[in-house]
Amino acid sequence: MTDTESTFQLPPHDHMFLGKDHDRAERRTWAVIILCSVMMIAEIVGGALFGSLALIADGLHMSTHAGALLLAALAYTYARKYANDRNFTFGTGKFGDLAGYSSAIVLAMIALLIAYEAVSRLFNPVSISFNEAIPIAVLGLAVNVASAWLLSGGHHHGHGHDHSHGHDHHDHDHGAEGHDHEAAHGAHHRDNNMRAAVIHVMADAAVSVLVIVGLLAARTFGWLWMDPLAGLIGAIVIANWSVGLLRDTGGILLDRTPDPRMAEKVRMVIESEGDHVTDLHLWRLGPGHLGAIVSVATSGVREPAHYRERLARFADLSHVTVEVQHSHAANGRVVASHGHAS
């Protein structure tokens, strides 16, 4: 069987697959970096002036915190700056997932370091300056709470639904079948870059709380083992968050199907008229944006535009390519169209 291919001429389109709150999230991340940097400088300078090694150590710890957030901020900035660069075939929406994956690796390393230090202190207890260590832990917790508040104000839990990604909306199906919003709260709407930044802050806050509890118990009851035990628990919590972030962002970077239910719905919509889906690829382009490549075998005379109109109900499908195989002719032909069901 010989195949011929033709394409529909579609209006020019962009590949802007950034999240709805991208700009606000970027600004808030930079704000938190400034907050952490000011705190870091204050602690290091204060520690040097007052001879407090603990204060200097916490200031250096804050620098690693600011560095991790800097990775998130740069990912936002780079994704926005190169959003229209045609060298990125499917846009820059995955930069946040790449940054999130990198942050997850950093979190895993931090968890290992905390666990190592905690185990070492369990077997070789060290003297603790409680009156100095407790206020520093409380101050660190306050900074983390403020950071979490700033960050969460910009990402709305990662579930914002994007209807403004540079594509026309006039071709959506608003009929009886309606607009499918069920997937609006799915994992493919998460901003994993912001999620990683928030996890860094939450991990630091969780460790601060555990450290405070451990220090108070150690000072009150003389239980010096409470401090390293609290650190060990914190390391386990951080490691758990890290694994979850690695799993989710790694799947996106490898183009794993982000929502099997959405894939099944796409298949059902196409096959509801008696056609057959011979191949289906569904992957995430960015927060709230999915790409799809659909190959359809039909014995009718339907063209790719027909199937794109059928898929227009799914607002999350921001880039759709349809290939139609007509089996009614003596010599079958393949008609391919590149379009957007947005």
Side-chain angles (χ1 to χ4, degrees), residues 116-135:
Y116 175 79
E117 184 67 20
V119 172
S120 298
R121 291 196 177 195
L122 277 173
F123 291 101
N124 300 294
V126 298
S127 59
I128 303 172
S129 301
F130 296 108
N131 293 333
E132 184 182 24
I134 293 174

Side-chain angles (χ1 to χ4, degrees), residues 14-16 79-88 91-92:
D14 59 38
H15 289 111
M16 184 74 73
R80 173 178 50 79
K81 182 178 180 181
Y82 293 95
N84 294 312
D85 188 334
R86 292 185 178 275
N87 288 317
F88 296 100
T92 56

Side-chain angles (χ1 to χ4, degrees), residues 2-230:
T2 60
D3 296 333
T4 60
E5 182 176 298
S6 64
T7 59
F8 283 85
Q9 296 299 316
L10 297 173
H13 57 267
D14 59 38
H15 289 111
M16 184 74 73
F17 302 130
L18 305 182
K20 178 181 179 181
D21 293 320
H22 185 93
D23 291 340
R24 285 198 298 169
E26 180 182 352
R27 290 193 299 270
R28 299 210 175 228
T29 305
W30 282 112
V32 172
I33 290 173
I34 293 172
L35 174 64
C36 291
S37 299
V38 170
M39 181 67 185
M40 173 191 71
I41 294 171
E43 286 189 327
I44 293 176
V45 172
L49 290 176
F50 301 111
S52 171
L53 187 60
L55 204 56
I56 293 176
D58 197 64
L60 293 174
H61 167 72
M62 192 62 71
S63 70
T64 63
H65 189 49
L69 291 171
L70 180 61
L71 180 64
L74 289 175
Y76 279 126
T77 301
Y78 196 88
R80 173 178 50 79
K81 182 178 180 181
Y82 293 95
N84 294 312
D85 188 334
R86 292 185 178 275
N87 288 317
F88 296 100
T89 306
F90 287 107
T92 56
K94 285 187 180 180
F95 272 107
D97 301 299
L98 180 60
Y101 186 85
S102 302
S103 289
I105 294 176
V106 173
L107 278 168
M109 294 173 64
I110 290 174
L112 286 174
L113 288 171
I114 293 175
Y116 175 79
E117 184 67 20
V119 172
S120 298
R121 291 196 177 195
L122 277 173
F123 291 101
N124 300 294
V126 298
S127 59
I128 303 172
S129 301
F130 296 108
N131 293 333
E132 184 182 24
I134 293 174
I136 291 174
V138 172
L139 184 60
L141 177 60
V143 171
N144 287 317
V145 170
S147 299
W149 178 79
L150 282 171
L151 291 173
S152 62
H155 87 144
H156 299 295
H157 309 290
H159 293 301
H161 195 71
D162 190 357
H163 285 286
S164 56
H165 40 75
H167 300 302
D168 240 348
H169 288 234
H170 67 274
D171 59 347
H172 280 194
D173 180 5
H174 293 288
E177 291 169 331
H179 211 58
D180 192 341
H181 289 280
E182 182 176 334
H185 301 287
H188 60 269
H189 279 262
R190 283 184 190 148
D191 181 345
N192 284 315
N193 193 26
M194 178 57 70
R195 180 184 170 198
V198 171
I199 286 178
H200 268 285
V201 172
M202 288 177 61
D204 217 24
V207 171
S208 293
V209 170
L210 289 167
V211 165
I212 292 170
V213 172
L215 289 172
L216 288 174
R219 185 178 69 175
T220 304
F221 304 106
W223 298 342
L224 293 179
W225 50 267
M226 275 295 294
D227 180 54
L229 179 62

